[in-house]
Amino acid sequence: MLATALALAVAACGSGGSNSSTSASTTAAPAGKPGAGKPALTLGAKNFTEQFVLGQLYKQALEAKGFTVKLKNNIGSTEIIDKGLTSGNIDIYPEYIGVGLTAVAHDNKSYPTEQAAYNAFKTFQEGRGFTLLDQTPFTDVDAIAVKPPYAKQHNLKSVGDLKNAGGFKIGAPPEFRTRFTGLVGMKKEYGITNATLVPLTIGLQYKALDSGKVQAADVFTTDGQLQKGSYVVLTDPKNIFGYEQVAPIVNKKTLTKEGPAFAQTVNAVSAKLTTKAMQQMNGAVDLDKQSPSAVAKTFLQANGLL
């Protein structure tokens, strides 16, 4: 655990809570700080480790500037959390560009660059009364992972190679069945029809792989478990999993009410979030069993954001 904490601090300088349902600051906003006197806002997060970490990063940084933030954790998938945003139950949440495009905007186009994908998603959100803040340097793309012996047995290097692996089980969240960044895209672009989905809660896919319950699994490229070298991540030459930088989606009304320091604070956090930093923070939570709150605090302090 100490080694991970030290690595976190190093990664933080180089790169620039818990998973309970709700947490909020109980202290009044300090006078003289830009968030003092601004309306309270609700920040949402999805239902897996990286989102718990991101929620804490943005929450703590905003509170350090005097904003009053209520954090709603573990809301659910993109399809579910988007309803929370459009209904007004949350004011802001961090979203992955590619998933947002396919699952919410129903846009399956293949964009030539990450900036083009970001621009398309921002245009879509602005048509609904929301906007995107800056995107992160890191990208957390869905990927297909297998165990090394299985990869060797079937000569697996890319996602398309699974077409010739015979019938196999793939562990993934239930929404993987209907997403283009899932079985739909795997069938359309790679001709994979031999996969049987085993619905799993995010975070359980590695245990399922290790036990042999599934032969393949939907993973995230910033998962801490991938640092160990115990899994083979298949390449995606047709880029069905898209660009997955994170950009917070915020209600335009909230942005106006909170003032310019709000966006500046959120963007300052996002700018520090490299792939290495996120892998290490996710690993500190999943592997070292540290709390998302403590991990976020360490990172923010190392970067002068607290």
Side-chain angles (χ1 to χ4, degrees):
M1 186 176 294
L2 178 60
T4 301
L6 291 174
L8 269 173
V10 171
C13 295
S15 73
S18 72
N19 60 352
S20 58
S21 60
T22 304
S23 59
S25 175
T26 56
T27 58
K33 294 197 173 183
K38 300 294 185 183
L41 63 112
T42 302
L43 167 67
K46 298 187 194 180
N47 56 340
F48 51 93
T49 296
E50 183 165 279
Q51 285 275 307
F52 301 151
V53 172
L54 288 170
Q56 286 290 339
L57 286 166
Y58 293 126
K59 174 180 181 288
Q60 292 182 36
L62 285 166
E63 289 178 339
K65 295 293 185 181
F67 293 94
T68 301
V69 183
K70 180 180 181 181
L71 175 61
K72 286 189 176 181
N73 255 337
N74 211 18
I75 292 176
S77 67
T78 291
E79 293 86 344
I80 295 171
I81 200 169
D82 180 69
K83 292 178 181 178
L85 183 72
T86 56
S87 68
N89 288 328
I90 59 175
D91 302 298
I92 180 173
Y93 83 93
E95 183 56 276
Y96 303 87
I97 299 300
V99 170
L101 280 169
T102 57
V104 179
H106 305 295
D107 179 356
N108 295 330
K109 296 185 187 75
S110 179
Y111 288 94
T113 65
E114 62 191 49
Q115 189 62 48
Y118 172 88
N119 292 343
F121 193 44
K122 185 174 184 178
T123 297
F124 168 78
Q125 290 295 349
E126 290 188 338
R128 306 197 304 166
F130 306 98
T131 192
L132 300 187
L133 299 183
D134 292 353
Q135 61 182 335
T136 60
F138 88 87
T139 180
D140 183 6
V141 184
D142 282 76
I144 306 302
V146 299
K147 295 290 287 183
Y150 188 76
K152 184 176 181 180
Q153 178 186 358
H154 296 284
N155 193 28
L156 302 179
K157 296 180 180 178
S158 76
V159 175
D161 294 334
L162 286 166
K163 182 179 179 180
N164 302 315
F168 67 94
K169 294 179 180 179
I170 182 166
E175 58 268 20
F176 194 80
R177 186 188 306 277
T178 56
R179 285 183 176 178
F180 186 82
T181 52
L183 290 182
V184 174
M186 290 171 66
K187 179 179 180 180
K188 182 177 180 181
E189 298 298 329
Y190 291 111
I192 295 172
T193 59
N194 49 324
T196 300
L197 180 68
V198 177
L200 294 173
T201 300
I202 295 172
L204 298 181
Q205 65 269 48
Y206 292 101
K207 289 183 179 179
L209 274 174
D210 292 343
S211 68
K213 181 178 179 180
V214 300
Q215 290 75 52
D218 173 39
V219 301
F220 302 138
T221 52
T222 55
D223 285 345
Q225 291 90 335
L226 296 180
Q227 297 181 81
K228 299 187 298 182
S230 301
Y231 308 94
V232 174
V233 177
L234 304 180
T235 62
D236 174 26
K238 296 193 176 182
N239 198 33
I240 64 169
F241 297 118
Y243 299 103
E244 298 291 5
Q245 279 75 12
V246 167
I249 306 173
V250 60
N251 191 305
K252 287 183 180 179
K253 293 179 180 178
T254 299
L255 203 56
T256 299
K257 290 176 182 177
E258 300 297 338
F262 174 79
Q264 291 167 5
T265 301
V266 174
N267 288 339
V269 174
S270 295
K272 297 291 185 180
L273 301 180
T274 64
T275 297
K276 181 178 180 182
M278 289 311 305
Q279 279 186 332
Q280 292 184 328
M281 283 191 278
N282 292 338
V285 175
D286 285 333
L287 305 179
D288 294 343
K289 306 305 178 184
Q290 297 182 47
S291 72
S293 177
V295 170
K297 183 177 180 180
T298 297
F299 182 83
L300 292 171
Q301 287 177 333
N303 280 280
L305 296 170
L306 277 187

